[in-house]
Amino acid sequence: MDIAANLAHIREGIAAAARKANRDPSSIRLVAVSKHKPVSFVNEAAHSGQLIFGENYVQELAAKALQVAVAVEWHFIGHLQSNKAKYLAGLVTMIHSVDRISLAEELDRQWERLGKTCEILIQVNVSGESSKSGATAKEATALVKQISLLRNLKVRGLMTMPPFFDDPEDARPYFRELRELADSISRQEIPGVSMQELSMGMSGDYKVAIEEGATLVRIGSAIFGER
């Protein structure tokens, strides 16, 4: 597998989707999802210029962070249990999957111990699927207000995972709904809160997500191959 070539292909796709939406391609960042992939794959991608890597499991991220030879940025993108939050403190730049105040409070405690702040995104379950984590749109607005009072967390936007569709166009309404929710929260001008990031879109639908405003696209299989 040629990871460098796969990355180049994805970057071209990101740039094309951005131009189609009259957006600056540099406003969209690629998160290479490396879950269940060996550290050698991460190192190869990093040597090819990839800077941000996303992991779904705490233990896997912690182990890889010790082994990757290049300076990279780690994002946690999976469901996070509060009792695992301490293992991420100081390791990750951003957590995409905060969906409840109890988790936010624990993250705040862990980062306070380090004297640092952590950037987070609120995960929103726009599809309402019971199999997916995330706050409802109504809960998300209230959650942002609650978290804005925690000194060691910085809300930077929203994340979602739409249902899987064979046709990526079918995911468009879900991406649009997340963008509209971010706009609604932004208009409330909650102190310390920014809606600058929308984490949405994966290997099969990232171009549509970009057209609807994604700033972070989480791509795994199109870079590293199927699991």
Side-chain angles (χ1 to χ4, degrees):
M1 182 189 329
D2 192 335
I3 289 173
N6 291 347
L7 279 167
H9 179 71
I10 293 295
R11 289 187 188 118
E12 287 170 8
I14 289 171
R19 287 192 296 268
K20 183 178 177 184
N22 294 315
R23 296 181 61 196
D24 179 355
S26 68
S27 67
I28 299 132
R29 294 187 290 164
L30 170 60
V31 180
V33 179
S34 46
K35 68 175 179 181
H36 302 323
K37 298 299 179 183
V39 172
S40 61
F41 282 25
V42 178
N43 276 320
E44 189 176 337
H47 283 297
S48 300
Q50 177 58 28
L51 297 175
I52 307 174
F53 292 86
E55 286 285 341
N56 289 63
Y57 303 103
V58 172
Q59 280 179 293
E60 190 174 354
L61 187 153
K64 283 178 179 169
L66 293 173
Q67 298 175 66
V68 173
V70 183
V72 299
E73 187 174 303
W74 293 100
H75 289 200
F76 189 79
I77 62 175
H79 178 70
L80 181 57
Q81 296 171 291
S82 296
N83 62 354
K84 299 273 183 75
K86 60 188 174 185
Y87 300 113
L88 294 180
L91 271 186
V92 298
T93 303
M94 181 177 283
I95 297 172
H96 291 223
S97 47
V98 177
D99 60 359
R100 58 200 187 280
I101 189 60
S102 58
L103 171 59
E105 289 170 342
E106 182 59 26
L107 290 168
D108 183 63
R109 277 191 288 272
Q110 296 302 329
W111 260 262
E112 184 177 28
R113 289 173 58 201
L114 298 174
K116 296 181 177 179
T117 59
C118 181
E119 296 191 337
I120 65 164
L121 306 178
I122 304 303
Q123 182 172 354
V124 184
N125 185 352
V126 291
S127 66
E129 292 173 285
S130 58
S131 60
K132 287 194 170 74
S133 302
T136 65
K138 187 174 181 180
E139 290 167 345
T141 303
L143 185 57
V144 168
K145 290 177 179 176
Q146 288 177 292
I147 295 174
S148 73
L149 304 176
L150 302 176
R151 292 191 307 176
N152 299 89
L153 300 186
K154 298 297 179 188
V155 180
R156 291 289 175 254
L158 307 177
M159 180 270 254
T160 199
M161 295 176 62
F164 174 78
F165 297 106
D166 290 324
D167 183 354
E169 278 296 326
D170 291 336
R172 189 182 294 276
Y174 298 94
F175 296 142
R176 184 172 295 153
E177 184 177 338
L178 193 75
R179 174 170 51 82
E180 290 171 349
L181 176 60
D183 290 344
S184 170
I185 293 172
S186 186
R187 284 194 296 271
Q188 297 187 44
E189 298 183 348
I190 303 164
V193 168
S194 125
M195 287 287 121
Q196 67 194 44
E197 303 287 3
L198 288 179
S199 171
M200 57 189 194
M202 298 192 289
S203 291
D205 56 18
Y206 74 91
K207 293 179 181 178
V208 172
I210 288 169
E211 290 172 18
E212 291 300 329
T215 63
L216 292 157
V217 290
R218 312 181 305 270
I219 298 180
S221 58
I223 298 170
F224 299 115
E226 296 295 337
R227 291 201 297 277

